């Protein structure tokens, strides 16, 4: 918690860049090195995870405790990812999320991954709900089909709409889609927002959660937020900018707030992409620059808006009663204001971090 407000991590991942998990070792290694470089840039010496641990997958215990014991985070949404074109386990394996939920059932939700472009997608939805009891679905905008990099069109009535209908039949309410942030080679157009509105229009009772909203396509995203009440934004990776590019972050937040979306923005860091604590604290202490307020009419980032973004919006999106949640987690091992050392002491040597920053 921060100032007695609940904090929800909207995306947690377990990256696995081991050579045996990479479909193409060169591409997989390049993605891993790129993300670790960003990890060091955002984290700084105190919060940088040792490279060997980061690249092989930190695992449920390290990631879970980084969030629940070492930061102000109270609840975790673990995301499996369907990046099967580059990683054999999809990039963030479901099993790690299941292990986290087994350890901390009151504090962990799971988004299950499915690629609509692959055979058996509808059966996969059935499995995710019936066997693994996921809370939402996670889609990725690019896949490799028959050796070709192929973009996913969320508005495709033959490919995606049957999947959304199956999710609805199972009672799922939320579909998350990766956008804005490139991960490996693929068409940039697939990272844009143009296909989300067709899905939102066709399925008004589903919530479409745009992950990495604000990293790019800010104006397009804001326009869709203004036009569709069932489009939400998840700040994974965008939240890093509160640390290293606060003005750019404030501009993105201002655009979303101007669009009337204060109650449809979800906090996330993507841990173990970065340690969550620096980003949480940077966001909590951020003020909207006066010139953006006076010259562009952007709203203030009030404490109430921040509290909504950090936790209350996520709980409302998933129909979770905050009072009941507080009662269920009261008195457990993470019900304390004393934060433990980052990564359980598995930080990188300071010289390695500084060398990477030069």
């Amino acid at each position: 918690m921060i100032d007695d407000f609940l904090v929800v991590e909207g995306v947690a991942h377990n990256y696995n860049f081991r050579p045996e998990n990479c479909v193409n070792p060169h591409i997989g290694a390049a993605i891993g090195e790129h993300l670790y470089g960003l990890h060091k840039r955002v984290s700084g010496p105190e919060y940088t995870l040792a490279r060997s641990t980061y690249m092989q997958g930190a695992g449920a215990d390290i990631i879970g405790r980084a969030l629940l014991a070492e930061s102000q985070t109270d609840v975790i949404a673990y995301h499996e990812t369907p990046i099967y074109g580059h990683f054999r386990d999809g990039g963030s394996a479901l099993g790690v999320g299941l292990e986290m939920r087994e350890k901390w059932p009151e504090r962990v939700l799971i988004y299950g991954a499915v690629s609509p472009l692959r055979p058996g997608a509808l059966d996969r939805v059935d499995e995710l709900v019936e066997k693994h009891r996921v809370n939402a679905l996670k889609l990725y905008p690019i896949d490799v089909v028959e050796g070709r990099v192929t973009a996913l069109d969320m508005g495709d009535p033959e490919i995606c709409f049957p999947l959304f209908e199956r999710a609805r039949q199972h009672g799922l309410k939320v579909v998350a889609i990766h956008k804005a942030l490139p991960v490996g080679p693929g068409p940039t157009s697939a990272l844009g927002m143009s296909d989300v509105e067709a899905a939102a229009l066709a399925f008004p009772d589903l919530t479409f959660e745009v992950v990495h909203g604000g990293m790019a396509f800010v104006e397009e995203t804001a326009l869709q937020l203004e036009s569709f009440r069932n489009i939400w934004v998840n700040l994974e990776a965008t939240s890093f900018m509160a640390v290293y590019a606060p003005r750019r972050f404030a501009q993105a937040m201002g655009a979303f707030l101007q669009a009337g979306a204060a109650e449809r923005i979800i906090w996330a860091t993507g841990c173990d992409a970065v340690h969550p604590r620096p980003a949480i604290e940077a966001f909590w202490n951020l003020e909207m620059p006066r010139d953006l307020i006076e010259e562009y009419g952007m709203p203030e980032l009030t404490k109430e808006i921040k509290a909504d973004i950090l936790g209350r919006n996520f709980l409302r999106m998933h129909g979770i009663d905050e009072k009941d949640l507080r009662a269920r987690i009261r008195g457990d091992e993470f019900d304390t204001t004393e934060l433990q050392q980052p990564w359980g002491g598995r930080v990188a040597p300071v010289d390695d971090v500084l060398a990477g920053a030069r």
Side-chain angles (χ1 to χ4, degrees), residues 193 196-197 200-201 208 210 217-233 252-265 297 299:
M193 292 289 295
V196 180
E197 59 188 24
L201 185 62
F208 293 92
V210 177
F217 311 107
V218 173
E219 292 184 0
E220 294 90 337
T221 304
L223 181 61
Q224 289 199 5
L225 288 170
E226 190 167 5
S227 303
F228 297 91
R229 297 293 300 177
N230 60 331
I231 293 179
W232 293 45
V233 163
M253 290 300 96
F256 298 159
L257 296 177
Q258 282 182 318
E263 296 184 346
R264 287 178 286 137
I265 304 172

Side-chain angles (χ1 to χ4, degrees), residues 294-308:
E294 295 170 1
E295 296 178 27
Y296 294 92
M298 290 185 173
E300 296 271 11
L301 265 173
T302 66
K303 180 180 289 190
E304 286 300 311
I305 289 175
K306 292 175 183 177
D308 281 342

Side-chain angles (χ1 to χ4, degrees), residues 28-76:
I31 293 172
E33 292 296 344
H34 168 73
L35 290 178
Y36 188 62
L38 180 62
H39 171 83
K40 290 193 292 184
R41 178 185 178 189
V42 175
S43 303
E46 185 180 358
Y47 290 98
T48 295
L49 185 62
R51 182 184 181 281
S52 59
T53 304
Y54 185 93
M55 298 297 283
Q56 71 181 2
D61 195 64
I62 293 175
I63 295 170
R65 292 187 180 279
L67 287 157
L68 299 174
E70 301 165 11
S71 85
Q72 298 87 349
T73 304
D74 301 288
V75 174
I76 301 168

Side-chain angles (χ1 to χ4, degrees), residues 27 73 81 90 95 100 139 148 160 174 182 191 216 232 292 303 307 357:
I27 294 177
T73 304
T81 55
M100 292 171 68
L139 277 61
R148 298 182 62 182
C160 284
V174 178
L191 302 174
W232 293 45
L292 296 183
K303 180 180 289 190

Side-chain angles (χ1 to χ4, degrees), residues 165-182:
E165 180 60 39
R166 184 64 62 90
R168 186 162 63 178
Q169 291 170 1
H170 279 295
L172 294 183
K173 301 295 185 182
V174 178
V175 176
I177 174 70
H178 175 118
K179 289 289 186 179
L181 180 67

Side-chain angles (χ1 to χ4, degrees), residues 66-343:
L67 287 157
L68 299 174
E70 301 165 11
S71 85
Q72 298 87 349
T73 304
D74 301 288
V75 174
I76 301 168
Y78 180 89
H79 283 221
E80 181 189 22
T81 55
I83 314 176
Y84 301 117
H86 298 316
F87 304 105
R88 302 188 193 285
D89 69 356
S92 177
L94 177 65
V96 176
L98 297 177
E99 183 181 349
M100 292 171 68
R101 189 176 65 187
E102 179 69 22
K103 289 174 177 285
W104 310 297
E106 303 295 347
R107 291 184 180 262
V108 178
L109 290 81
I110 296 179
Y111 284 49
V114 58
S115 173
L117 294 168
R118 291 180 177 245
L122 297 182
D123 292 338
R124 175 62 174 165
V125 176
D126 294 340
E127 177 188 14
L128 286 170
V129 176
E130 296 169 0
K131 180 178 180 180
H132 301 300
R133 298 179 290 109
V134 302
N135 304 93
L137 297 183
K138 177 65 174 284
L139 277 61
Y140 194 75
I142 298 168
D143 202 351
V144 178
V145 180
E146 297 180 353
R148 298 182 62 182
V149 175
T150 304
L152 176 69
D153 182 354
M154 293 272 286
D156 190 320
E158 296 184 2
I159 300 296
C160 284
F161 284 11
L163 185 144
F164 300 151
E165 180 60 39
R166 184 64 62 90
R168 186 162 63 178
Q169 291 170 1
H170 279 295
L172 294 183
K173 301 295 185 182
V174 178
V175 176
I177 174 70
H178 175 118
K179 289 289 186 179
L181 180 67
V183 177
T188 304
S189 59
L191 302 174
M193 292 289 295
S194 60
D195 59 326
V196 180
E197 59 188 24
L201 185 62
F203 294 87
D205 55 338
L206 291 181
T207 293
F208 293 92
E209 184 182 348
V210 177
V211 181
H212 310 297
M215 284 291 291
F217 311 107
V218 173
E219 292 184 0
E220 294 90 337
T221 304
L223 181 61
Q224 289 199 5
L225 288 170
E226 190 167 5
S227 303
F228 297 91
R229 297 293 300 177
N230 60 331
I231 293 179
W232 293 45
V233 163
N234 180 302
L235 296 179
E236 184 195 2
T238 308
S239 61
F240 304 171
M241 293 192 294
V243 177
Y244 71 84
R247 182 176 177 85
R248 183 180 168 196
F249 178 80
Q251 289 173 320
M253 290 300 96
F256 298 159
L257 296 177
Q258 282 182 318
E263 296 184 346
R264 287 178 286 137
I265 304 172
I266 302 300
W267 177 257
T269 68
C271 178
D272 63 349
V274 296
H275 195 282
R277 183 176 172 182
I280 292 171
E281 294 177 351
F283 174 64
W284 189 247
N285 293 323
L286 182 72
E287 295 182 0
M288 187 68 70
R290 294 308 308 173
D291 65 306
L292 296 183
I293 295 171
E294 295 170 1
E295 296 178 27
Y296 294 92
M298 290 185 173
E300 296 271 11
L301 265 173
T302 66
K303 180 180 289 190
E304 286 300 311
I305 289 175
K306 292 175 183 177
D308 281 342
I309 292 171
L310 282 173
R312 293 191 299 217
N313 291 347
F314 181 94
L315 299 181
R316 190 176 64 259
M317 182 174 68
H318 283 280
I320 299 172
D321 181 85
E322 180 177 343
K323 183 177 180 180
D324 177 65
L325 173 62
R326 286 176 179 265
R328 287 188 281 115
I329 64 176
R330 186 176 298 123
D332 71 5
E333 64 177 304
F334 303 116
D335 185 13
T336 176
T337 58
E338 183 178 348
L339 300 182
Q340 298 179 15
Q341 62 178 331
W343 303 121

